[in-house]
């Protein structure tokens, strides 16, 4: 599967008739190649024990854009996200085959240190998970562990400002991050992720545990972040993907990437019938 | 019983349930009695010990070495003595130093082992085997640890019947409990905290030091202090390594090879002496031991409450 897939990736054909062939060749429908790719996934398989969670994922992720990964539960979108910064390494039974390039370097090469990689690719999790430390120390955490804390005061303020939470917490930087509301906690976590200035920010359903007002704040923030960072966001919420993303990848059927294209194309005129059914709510 | 199966009539006043209610009440009463047995026994013991010790527990008792003569312990005689009053001082200091050394050893060995087992050890059969055995070791009688300490420290490592041998033996005794409770504290740290740390580019050691340990340390400290309060009352292990029943000078912390006595040994020594008044002296010693024990438990509870409130 891996062997023949790698030769046919570049010829992603966009005719609907090739649907089945494309699946076996691991090339999704749509336009999986982009010119300014910062991350390139080639025939990426992920296994949890004997279960295969991802089947030969081929896609490019463009720089300074918001790329949304959507699909029903268990479709592998979060698994794919975690394989980008090698968080899957923390799961004992997870195993990865295939290649994933970051700036042209395969991050699954033996000489790649996952800790160094994660300093370039930050992450925001589904459930807000601030440390039981002060707001200041939360944001400073990444700076300190990475040894970038020469000017920690200013960097913390900048990060809080970029995460659109500075106004709300400026007077209480010494109080615990756990005293904030859920939405504020999530923006604090975003501030923590961007403080050490990574290139890519991975977001795993960052708004799924939040109320609508907090959600819309996060969405605004995601669009702003794309000016400086490459954002990859997993979401259950199709309207959210349509609102905030430039590119959308649709994962279906237990770990297959079915279609990947500009968000407008995916939502207005998808090539795959199954994607159309999913988008219009016929299943999933 | 036979009428309440009749579905046509509804038993409004629950009269058919009366027997079951009575049974329930009897059960509650039995449980209450069971609870009271423990509490009453403890109170009776405390009252008995405190009344025995009343009048014999003085500042001099805490600050003077023991004496062969029972008169020396009686505060009424203090003025007429040629020698000093009798007291528990060397054993008290011996017990405190024993606990200090044991605390230092268990902190490093126990927490180190727990961190290795919980955070680093691969999930293999060997690890499971080791963990199971550590849990089993917690149930080994303390006299067995005493024999081990005698063979290993006193004889093989030539420490003699010293403070060091006593502390190392008590360390072995409580280490399994400390490891297990520290492992539980580490396991209670949510994985989301670890992921958050790794996600910001922290190494494993940075994650453990900055996130996992600060979260786990209150639980670890509570476990260590409670184990130490068990160790301070242990007699069998220090008896086996040859602690003295009565010492006239306290050991020095800077000289861990000093011979030593500890409170349980001293209390036992007094309790077996024939003069009736020595029972008062022994009771006074028990009150001192119990006070230190309760203080240690109180510290453990304070630590736990302080950090629980923070969440």
């Amino acid at each position: 599967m891996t062997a023949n897939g790698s030769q046919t990736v570049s010829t992603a054909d966009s005719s609907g008739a090739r649907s089945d062939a494309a699946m076996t060749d691991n090339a999704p429908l749509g336009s999986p190649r982009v010119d300014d790719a910062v991350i390139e996934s080639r025939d990426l398989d992920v296994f949890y024990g004997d279960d295969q969670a991802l089947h030969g994922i081929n896609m490019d992720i463009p720089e300074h854009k918001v790329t949304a990964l959507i699909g029903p539960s268990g479709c592998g979108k979060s698994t794919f996200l975690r394989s980008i910064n090698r968080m899957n390494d923390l799961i004992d039974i997870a195993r990865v085959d295939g290649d994933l390039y970051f700036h042209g370097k395969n991050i699954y090469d033996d000489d790649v240190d996952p800790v160094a990689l994660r300093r370039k690719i930050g992450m925001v999790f589904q459930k807000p998970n601030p440390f039981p430390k002060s707001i200041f120390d939360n944001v400073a955490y990444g700076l300190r562990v990475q040894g970038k804390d020469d000017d920690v005061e200013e960097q913390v303020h900048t990060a809080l400002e970029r995460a659109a939470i500075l106004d709300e917490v400026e007077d209480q930087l010494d109080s615990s991050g756990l005293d904030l509301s859920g939405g504020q906690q999530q923006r604090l976590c975003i501030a923590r992720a961007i403080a050490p200035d990574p290139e890519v920010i991975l977001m795993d359903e960052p708004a799924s545990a939040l109320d609508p007002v907090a959600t819309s704040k996060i969405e605004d923030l995601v669009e702003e972040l794309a000016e400086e960072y490459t954002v990859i966001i997993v979401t259950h919420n199709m309207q959210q993907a349509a609102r905030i993303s430039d590119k959308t990848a649709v994962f279906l059927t237990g770990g297959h990437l079915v279609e990947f294209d500009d968000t407008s194309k995916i939502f207005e005129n998808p090539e795959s019938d199954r994607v159309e059914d999913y988008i219009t709510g016929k299943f999933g | 019983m036979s009428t309440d199966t009749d579905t046509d009539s509804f038993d409004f006043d629950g009269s058919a349930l009366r027997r079951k209610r009575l049974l329930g009440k009897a059960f509650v009463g039995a449980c209450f009695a069971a609870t009271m047995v423990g509490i009453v026994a403890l109170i009776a013991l405390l009252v008995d010990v405190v009344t025995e010790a009343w009048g014999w527990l003085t500042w001099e008792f805490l600050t003077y070495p023991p004496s062969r003569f029972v008169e020396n312990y009686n505060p009424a005689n203090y003025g007429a003595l040629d020698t000093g009053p009798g007291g528990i001082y060397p054993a008290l200091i011996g017990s405190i130093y024993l606990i200090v050394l044991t605390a230092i050893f268990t902190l490093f060995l126990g927490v180190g082992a727990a961190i290795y087992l919980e955070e680093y050890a691969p999930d293999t059969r060997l690890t499971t085997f080791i963990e199971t055995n550590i849990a089993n070791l917690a149930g080994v009688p303390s006299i067995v640890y005493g024999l081990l300490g005698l063979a290993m420290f006193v004889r093989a490592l030539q420490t003699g019947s010293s403070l060091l041998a006593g502390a190392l033996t008590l360390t072995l005794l409580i280490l399994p409990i400390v490891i297990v409770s520290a492992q539980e504290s580490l396991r209670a740290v949510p994985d989301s905290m670890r992921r958050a740390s790794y996600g910001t580019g922290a190494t494993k050691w940075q994650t453990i030091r900055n996130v996992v340990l600060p979260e786990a340390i209150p639980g670890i400290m509570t476990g260590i202090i409670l184990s130490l309060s068990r160790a301070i009352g242990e007699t069998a292990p220090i008896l086996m390594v040859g602690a003295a029943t009565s010492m006239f000078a306290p050991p020095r912390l800077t000289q861990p090879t000093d011979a030593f006595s500890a409170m349980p040994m001293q209390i036992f020594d007094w309790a077996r002496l024939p003069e009736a008044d020595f029972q008062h002296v022994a009771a006074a010693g028990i009150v001192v031991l119990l006070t230190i024990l309760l203080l240690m438990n109180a510290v453990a509870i304070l630590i736990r409450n302080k950090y629980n409130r923070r969440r």
Side-chain angles (χ1 to χ4, degrees), chain B residues 30-237:
Chain B
C31 291
F32 180 72
T35 314
M36 289 321 281
V37 168
I39 291 178
V40 167
L42 182 66
I43 290 174
L45 180 83
L46 283 176
V47 168
D48 182 52
V49 168
V50 171
T51 39
E52 283 270 329
W54 196 258
W56 293 75
L57 183 54
T58 60
W59 180 247
E60 285 78 6
F61 181 74
L62 294 176
T63 51
Y64 279 89
S67 163
R68 279 184 299 139
F69 307 108
V70 75
E71 308 87 71
N72 291 12
Y73 292 97
N74 194 335
N77 301 337
Y78 282 173
L81 295 175
D82 302 335
T83 58
I88 198 173
Y89 181 66
L92 174 63
I93 297 301
S95 272
I96 291 174
Y97 287 175
L98 203 56
I99 287 309
V100 169
L101 286 179
T102 307
I104 294 169
F105 297 149
T106 32
L107 185 68
F108 287 102
L109 293 176
V111 177
I115 290 177
Y116 176 75
L117 287 172
E118 208 49 47
E119 305 287 332
Y120 288 100
D123 202 5
T124 61
R125 234 178 258 164
L126 179 67
T127 311
T128 316
F129 179 74
I130 292 173
E131 284 182 342
T132 313
N133 274 289
I134 288 174
N136 283 337
L137 284 175
V140 171
S142 57
I143 192 138
V144 177
Y145 285 100
L147 285 165
L148 179 68
L150 177 66
M152 200 158 114
F153 304 125
V154 180
R155 299 273 158 76
L157 295 179
Q158 309 248 307
T159 58
S161 295
S162 62
L163 193 62
L164 184 65
L168 287 171
T169 306
L170 288 180
T171 302
L172 286 186
L173 173 73
I174 63 170
L175 206 49
I177 310 168
V178 170
I179 293 173
V180 169
S181 77
Q183 271 185 284
E184 273 162 16
S185 306
L186 291 170
R187 216 173 297 148
V189 177
D191 265 346
S192 65
M193 293 287 116
R194 292 182 176 84
R195 281 198 295 270
S197 177
Y198 289 129
T200 53
T203 62
K204 187 154 197 168
W205 166 236
Q206 284 174 324
T207 300
I208 291 172
R209 198 193 59 188
N210 297 318
V211 175
V212 178
L213 271 184
E215 273 289 276
I217 216 78
I220 293 174
M221 290 308 294
T222 309
I224 289 181
I225 294 172
L226 291 179
S227 304
L228 287 175
S229 72
R230 180 192 164 188
I232 199 174
E234 278 291 348
T235 321

Side-chain angles (χ1 to χ4, degrees), chain A residues 133-150:
Chain A
K133 301 172 186 284
S134 73
I135 291 171
F136 185 93
D137 287 342
N138 260 287
V139 183
Y141 185 82
L143 297 165
R144 285 176 178 150
V145 297
Q146 298 189 20
K148 291 181 179 171
D149 54 348
D150 297 338

Side-chain angles (χ1 to χ4, degrees), chain A:
Chain A
M1 194 167 186
T2 309
N4 62 20
S6 58
Q7 282 138 31
T8 49
V9 174
S10 52
T11 59
D13 193 317
S14 52
S15 75
R18 266 189 51 115
S19 173
D20 285 343
M23 284 299 297
T24 51
D25 288 346
N26 293 330
L29 297 171
S31 341
R33 301 302 305 262
V34 300
D35 294 334
D36 50 354
V38 60
I39 289 163
E40 297 155 275
S41 174
R42 295 290 174 265
D43 294 306
L44 192 80
D45 296 332
V46 177
F47 301 84
Y48 294 125
D50 294 331
D51 297 329
Q52 188 164 3
L54 282 180
H55 296 264
I57 303 302
N58 281 293
M59 67 185 281
D60 289 357
I61 290 168
E63 200 166 19
H64 291 188
K65 293 266 167 53
V66 178
T67 300
L69 313 177
I70 65 172
S73 298
C75 68
K77 55 196 190 302
S78 291
T79 298
F80 180 65
L81 193 77
R82 282 197 302 269
S83 62
I84 297 174
N85 68 344
R86 289 186 62 171
M87 287 295 270
N88 279 333
D89 289 18
L90 303 178
I91 303 168
D92 285 340
I93 56 168
R95 185 165 60 79
V96 177
D97 274 350
D99 305 320
L100 202 143
Y101 298 94
F102 175 55
H103 287 301
K105 171 72 183 170
N106 186 357
I107 64 161
Y108 285 97
D109 279 350
D110 290 339
D111 60 349
V112 172
D113 180 353
V115 172
L117 177 73
R118 290 181 204 129
R119 293 179 177 196
K120 288 284 175 195
I121 305 180
M123 189 157 195
V124 177
F125 298 83
Q126 180 170 5
K127 207 168 146 259
N129 56 357
F131 299 121
K133 301 172 186 284
S134 73
I135 291 171
F136 185 93
D137 287 342
N138 260 287
V139 183
Y141 185 82
L143 297 165
R144 285 176 178 150
V145 297
Q146 298 189 20
K148 291 181 179 171
D149 54 348
D150 297 338
D151 198 1
V152 67
E153 296 267 345
E154 195 188 319
Q155 288 166 296
V156 167
H157 273 86
T158 311
L160 286 168
E161 195 166 15
R162 276 190 198 160
I165 191 178
L166 184 64
D167 296 343
E168 290 157 66
V169 301
E170 201 164 15
D171 306 328
Q172 42 166 335
L173 291 179
D174 291 332
S175 61
S176 170
L178 296 177
D179 293 341
L180 299 174
S181 72
Q184 288 174 322
Q185 286 188 8
Q186 194 60 300
R187 278 178 284 144
L188 177 65
C189 292
I190 292 173
R192 180 176 66 192
I194 62 181
D197 209 25
E199 284 181 44
V200 179
I201 299 171
L202 309 178
M203 295 184 162
D204 192 355
E205 302 189 41
S208 68
L210 305 179
D211 65 71
V213 177
T215 301
S216 89
K217 282 186 183 165
I218 300 278
E219 288 182 6
D220 293 345
L221 181 54
V222 168
E223 290 183 285
E224 280 171 37
L225 289 175
E227 289 166 17
E228 288 184 63
Y229 307 97
T230 302
V231 180
I232 307 169
I233 182 167
V234 165
T235 177
H236 255 110
N237 181 331
M238 278 176 280
Q239 287 73 34
Q240 187 174 71
R243 277 195 297 270
I244 63 177
S245 69
D246 304 294
K247 288 277 204 175
T248 297
V250 186
F251 288 73
L252 294 175
T253 60
H256 295 276
L257 173 59
V258 177
E259 189 162 344
F260 179 61
D261 214 324
D262 292 338
T263 297
S264 54
K265 175 86 165 40
I266 293 278
F267 280 90
E268 283 156 24
N269 187 23
E271 285 171 28
S272 159
D273 294 342
R274 290 190 304 149
V275 168
E276 183 158 13
D277 287 350
Y278 176 69
I279 301 277
T280 53
K282 282 188 187 147
F283 83 98

